């Protein structure tokens, strides 16, 4: 399933990088940014992650919740204050 900007997100049920359950349905009524990245530790991933990290406080102040979605099963991004979930179905 390919998603485009503005598409209604499917219900995602997964676990985050810390083993906590994450269900997109739990964020109903919130502004959510789904951050999809194709591969850990690549220049594009790093640039996007740094942008989210640098704007994190501002995004939270505006009421956004951020969920990263990775195709990598062994997630290396642990230094961001956002939930990163593994879900290969959306790539």
């Amino acid at each position: 399933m390919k998603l485009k900007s503005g598409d209604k997100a499917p219900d995602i049920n997964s676990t985050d990088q810390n083993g906590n359950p994450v269900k997109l349905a739990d964020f109903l009524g919130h502004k959510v940014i789904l951050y999809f990245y194709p591969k850990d530790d690549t220049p594009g991933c790093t640039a996007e992650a740094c942008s989210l990290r640098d704007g994190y406080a501002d995004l939270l102040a505006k009421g956004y919740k951020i969920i990263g979605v990775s195709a990598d099963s062994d997630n290396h991004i642990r230094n961001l204050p956002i939930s990163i979930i593994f879900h290969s179905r959306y790539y």
Side-chain angles (χ1 to χ4, degrees):
M1 167 185 289
K2 295 280 186 176
L3 298 175
K4 300 182 306 286
S5 180
D7 283 352
K8 182 177 179 183
D11 192 22
I12 295 173
N13 294 295
S14 191
T15 54
D16 69 12
Q17 72 272 32
N18 300 311
N20 300 313
V22 177
K23 292 192 291 186
L24 194 55
D26 292 341
F27 295 89
L28 192 62
H30 295 276
K31 296 186 277 186
V32 176
I33 295 172
L34 285 177
Y35 159 53
F36 289 86
Y37 63 98
K39 185 99 174 113
D40 283 344
D41 297 325
T42 60
C45 170
T46 300
E48 290 174 359
C50 288
S51 176
L52 282 174
R53 179 203 60 212
D54 295 347
Y56 182 72
D58 190 41
L59 291 168
L60 284 185
K62 292 178 181 175
Y64 286 95
K65 308 287 185 184
I66 304 169
I67 303 170
V69 182
S70 173
D72 290 334
S73 60
D74 183 19
N75 220 301
H76 297 104
I77 296 185
R78 300 189 190 282
N79 60 344
L80 290 176
I82 63 175
S83 291
I84 305 290
I85 62 173
F86 166 69
H87 215 301
S88 63
R89 178 178 171 202
Y90 304 106
Y91 285 87

